[in-house]
Amino acid sequence: MTKLPSAIFVVDVKKESIAVMEAKKLGIPVFAIVDTNCDPDPINYLIPGNDDAVKTIELITRIIADAVIEGKEKAKELKAEDSAKSERAAKVNEKGN
């Protein structure tokens, strides 16, 4: 990795406790499926669910992945819009001078 992640997603908090602790130390938000046998305190964004059920894991992981893809696409759109606005403003300034 060339930079730290903006957030991490964890399916089994108990099994991935080291990753959760490292994320907390580095100030990285943690999204996690949290079962009744897990401590929810170190998790920033709780997703209540059975972390042992394959269907639950598949459903939640697919939803999270789709949201990340949608967010990246929206960020690209916004960046392109900002660039276009900046270019228009620069052309207006050139014409005014």
Side-chain angles (χ1 to χ4, degrees):
M1 279 197 259
T2 58
K3 65 176 188 163
L4 293 176
S6 300
I8 65 168
F9 171 65
V10 177
V11 171
D12 189 332
V13 175
K14 218 172 192 179
K15 284 185 182 176
E16 302 299 337
S17 61
I18 294 172
V20 171
M21 287 187 322
E22 287 295 318
K24 296 307 284 179
K25 285 180 187 176
L26 296 170
I28 299 169
V30 178
F31 292 77
I33 299 174
V34 180
D35 204 343
T36 56
N37 65 345
C38 298
D39 178 15
D41 291 338
I43 309 304
N44 301 95
Y45 301 97
L46 300 164
I47 303 168
N50 184 352
D51 61 12
D52 299 318
V54 174
K55 286 186 178 184
T56 300
I57 295 167
E58 287 175 351
L59 174 68
I60 294 172
T61 302
R62 184 173 48 250
I63 291 169
I64 296 287
D66 290 345
V68 169
I69 291 166
E70 185 179 332
K72 284 185 170 189
E73 289 171 0
K74 185 66 175 175
K76 284 181 184 177
E77 289 173 16
L78 293 174
K79 189 174 180 179
E81 287 176 13
D82 287 345
S83 294
K85 284 180 186 178
S86 296
E87 287 177 22
R88 284 193 297 269
K91 286 181 183 179
V92 169
N93 285 341
E94 285 177 10
K95 288 181 182 179
N97 289 335

